[in-house]
Amino acid sequence: MFFLRYIFTATTVAAFFASAQAAEPAARQYSEIQSTGTSQAIGRTVEVDVDLSGISGLAEAERAGRIEVLYRMAFNNIAEGWSWQPLADPAVDDYYRFKFLPLQSVWEERGEYRNEDKIGDPQETKVSWRYDYFLAFANLYDFYPRVVDDDAGFSADLPATLAGHVGLRAKARLIEPVLSESTTYWKAIHARPVDFTLKKRYLVGQLEEVDFVDLSNGRVLCAIHRGEHHCSSR
């Protein structure tokens, strides 16, 4: 089936996150677990809203008063060292074991300083940090068979009246190491006077459920459990 890609705007997603029915922000959950200790969080079930404002948005195809909504997972691979399986046989396994669902991005401006990267041309250099939060899980194929298909992912059959108003929520049971973090730093240059630090932060768990939700009220429209990759709602 041909899917038209639909990307939710950041404004739409932010409005959903702000609603009473939204899951607790990933950054807050990560911080709480970090402060109380990961050992106490093992086995806990977390509920997180998927950030649909980036490339990995929902695709929607309308037909006969219904919409087929698809969230593609084919390229949502975690390229961190702890996800590598360098000896994997590509015919039966993935090089990157862990998959991800994007959850939230938080920007933090940390001031600026005077810098002379180009001799004789001093300039103000900003210091910016960004925290990207993800749900990391290795059991994607508990939900559908491993297939070579760019359209592999989670899908739902929904009323066409919901077009443009569908969100995605996930539930996972936390497993060791519970949290993971990586840091990448880009030093400012004259053409780009910004010291930029990117921190990728992961809640590590076993995926239990994926819900399609109504962005207007947070209501669960239908749920996908293990052994399924599709659901529907009337």
Side-chain angles (χ1 to χ4, degrees):
M1 178 181 292
F2 174 74
F3 286 92
L4 298 177
R5 179 165 293 280
Y6 177 90
I7 306 297
F8 288 109
T9 65
T11 302
T12 301
V13 176
F16 172 54
F17 283 168
S19 72
Q21 293 83 8
E24 185 177 9
R28 190 180 304 163
Q29 295 192 54
Y30 188 100
S31 179
E32 187 270 330
I33 293 170
Q34 194 175 46
S35 63
T36 58
T38 56
S39 61
Q40 298 182 44
I42 296 173
R44 180 196 303 181
T45 297
V46 294
E47 186 171 316
V48 288
D49 290 311
V50 178
D51 182 4
L52 302 173
S53 63
I55 295 176
S56 299
L58 288 178
E60 296 181 352
E62 185 173 350
R63 180 182 299 173
R66 306 287 295 176
I67 53 169
E68 184 74 10
V69 184
L70 171 68
Y71 184 86
R72 295 178 174 89
M73 284 296 299
F75 303 104
N76 283 23
N77 299 308
I78 294 179
E80 307 281 3
W82 45 270
S83 181
W84 295 350
Q85 298 186 114
L87 300 181
D89 179 353
V92 297
D93 211 346
D94 296 345
Y95 182 83
Y96 297 117
R97 176 170 173 248
F98 278 83
K99 317 302 177 185
F100 72 83
L101 289 171
L103 306 179
Q104 185 183 11
S105 290
V106 178
W107 283 88
E108 185 177 290
E109 300 302 329
R110 297 194 172 194
E112 55 186 44
Y113 63 94
R114 194 76 167 167
N115 182 46
E116 191 172 323
D117 186 67
K118 183 179 180 180
I119 297 175
D121 188 6
Q123 58 187 172
E124 296 300 317
T125 298
K126 293 184 178 181
V127 179
S128 295
W129 286 49
R130 192 179 84 207
Y131 298 84
D132 288 348
Y133 293 86
F134 305 89
L135 175 63
F137 56 97
N139 67 316
L140 177 62
Y141 304 127
D142 284 353
F143 289 81
Y144 57 81
R146 182 176 181 269
V147 292
V148 180
D149 183 356
D150 287 355
D151 280 344
F154 304 108
S155 63
D157 173 55
L158 304 171
T161 54
L162 290 166
H165 298 282
V166 182
L168 203 65
R169 184 176 296 160
K171 294 179 182 178
R173 182 174 56 82
L174 296 176
I175 60 174
E176 292 184 324
V178 179
L179 303 179
S180 185
E181 179 182 82
S182 68
T183 304
T184 307
Y185 171 69
W186 289 267
K187 182 74 177 74
I189 59 175
H190 186 268
R192 180 187 49 78
V194 179
D195 281 344
F196 179 61
T197 299
L198 172 63
K199 282 190 174 288
K200 292 185 176 182
R201 290 180 162 179
Y202 301 91
L203 293 166
V204 184
Q206 180 169 273
L207 189 63
E208 300 288 346
E209 181 180 322
V210 174
D211 299 336
F212 287 84
V213 298
D214 186 339
L215 284 173
S216 64
N217 55 26
R219 179 174 62 91
V220 175
L221 301 169
C222 65
I224 297 175
H225 303 93
R226 293 188 189 183
E228 307 168 344
H229 68 278
H230 182 81
C231 65
S232 62
S233 171
R234 296 297 167 187

